[in-house]
Amino acid sequence: MHYSATMLATAPSSPPLAQPPALLLAAGRGERMRPLTDTCPKPLLRVRGQPLLQWHLQALHAAGVRRAVINTAWLGEQISAHFLDAFSLQGSPDKRNTLSIFYSHEGRDFGGALETAGGIARALPQLGDVFWLAAGDVFVPGFGFDAAAAQAFAASPMLAHLWLVPNPAHNPRGDFGLSPEGLALNLPPESTQPRYTYSTIALLRAALFAPPWCDIPPGNPQGLAAPLAPLLRRAMDNGRVSATLYTGPWTDVGTPQRLEELNASTP
């Protein structure tokens, strides 16, 4: 039996679970953002007055997530120096509501970024069976990191739940299909079914990074670099990836022009 996005959103009631931890991807070089990223890592570029990555941290904190891991490589020491080991809303006196921050320093440990799957596999010992994933170079101010979605996913047999978005101008063909039942689809190139763009926000299960889906050793001690898409497509072919179409504001801050447009727009 397949679990649809609707079923994930309406899972049978059960005792509420604590929010799972989050992994924020911040290891990329940001080649398309040069020269801005020659001296500043992309997640620290300022969007509407604050570092891009801080928008995710604020949303995670507001959603009740209390542990986040940030992977770093290019200029990663600037990221850890900026955010240190905790995040809380300004002026909050309750230390119990602090979001603790940990790091997976790929640049320090291996000399460079390990790509998405390699970086996730490396950070897994600091995460858990289920965790949020978000790339540090997307601006999605309305996304809520909903605890109910995380609880429903944890109770499902899915290996991943993706948030897809309508295709932006820079990715007109999209990435994955979406079935009426809420399954993400690995469509063949000749398919005429609609495709949507992967937002880079997801709920993932650690089992996706073990055989038969992934052959990277636990914790990725050798620092193997590997992309995430092949793992997702393999799991999709087996009906193990669900998805939701997200239609709120979303921007892949991938070029100086997009950054400029965001900062010129009205919040």
Side-chain angles (χ1 to χ4, degrees):
M1 177 179 181
H2 293 319
Y3 276 62
S4 69
T6 301
M7 293 167 71
L8 283 176
T10 58
S13 60
S14 58
L17 299 176
Q19 276 273 33
L23 174 60
L24 301 178
L25 303 174
R29 171 64 176 84
E31 290 285 354
R32 293 176 300 163
M33 292 295 291
R34 297 183 69 183
L36 299 179
T37 52
D38 285 343
T39 56
C40 177
K42 185 158 60 167
L44 291 187
L45 293 175
R46 300 185 79 80
V47 173
R48 296 179 180 172
Q50 64 185 23
L52 179 55
L53 191 62
Q54 186 167 322
W55 290 94
H56 281 337
L57 291 170
Q58 287 178 177
L60 289 165
H61 182 278
V65 176
R66 291 296 171 258
R67 180 184 180 91
V69 178
I70 301 173
N71 76 332
T72 71
W74 175 251
L75 301 177
E77 67 281 357
Q78 292 188 30
I79 296 174
S80 54
H82 183 91
F83 292 113
L84 301 176
D85 62 357
F87 177 85
S88 61
L89 295 179
Q90 188 173 7
S92 175
D94 191 347
K95 298 301 182 184
R96 294 171 300 175
N97 289 333
T98 296
L99 171 61
S100 298
I101 301 175
F102 301 84
Y103 296 91
S104 179
H105 291 296
E106 298 169 18
R108 180 196 66 191
D109 296 340
F110 302 106
L114 304 180
E115 298 189 58
T116 305
I120 295 171
R122 177 64 178 173
L124 276 183
Q126 300 188 72
L127 299 167
D129 177 57
V130 169
F131 55 95
W132 289 100
L133 180 76
D137 58 358
V138 297
F139 180 66
V140 54
F143 191 82
F145 296 98
D146 183 45
Q151 180 178 359
F153 174 72
S156 82
M158 295 295 155
L159 292 166
H161 185 82
L162 312 181
W163 275 265
L164 307 177
V165 295
N167 297 329
H170 59 83
N171 190 38
R173 285 185 54 80
D175 301 312
F176 306 121
L178 181 59
S179 79
E181 298 76 28
L183 289 176
L185 303 175
N186 177 27
L187 298 175
E190 66 275 10
S191 173
T192 59
Q193 286 184 248
R195 287 182 174 82
Y196 302 95
T197 293
Y198 170 43
S199 71
T200 71
I201 297 174
L203 281 160
L204 299 179
R205 201 177 296 277
L208 179 63
F209 301 91
W213 319 105
C214 178
D215 57 5
I216 297 176
N220 198 1
Q222 288 82 37
L224 302 175
L228 179 60
L231 279 63
L232 291 176
R233 293 186 186 279
R234 200 170 301 142
M236 287 176 195
D237 290 342
N238 286 270
R240 301 289 301 277
V241 181
S242 53
T244 296
L245 181 61
Y246 180 75
T247 56
W250 176 89
T251 303
D252 172 3
V253 189
T255 65
Q257 180 183 359
R258 289 180 219 156
L259 178 62
E260 184 179 349
E261 289 170 353
L262 273 178
N263 284 328
S265 63
T266 302

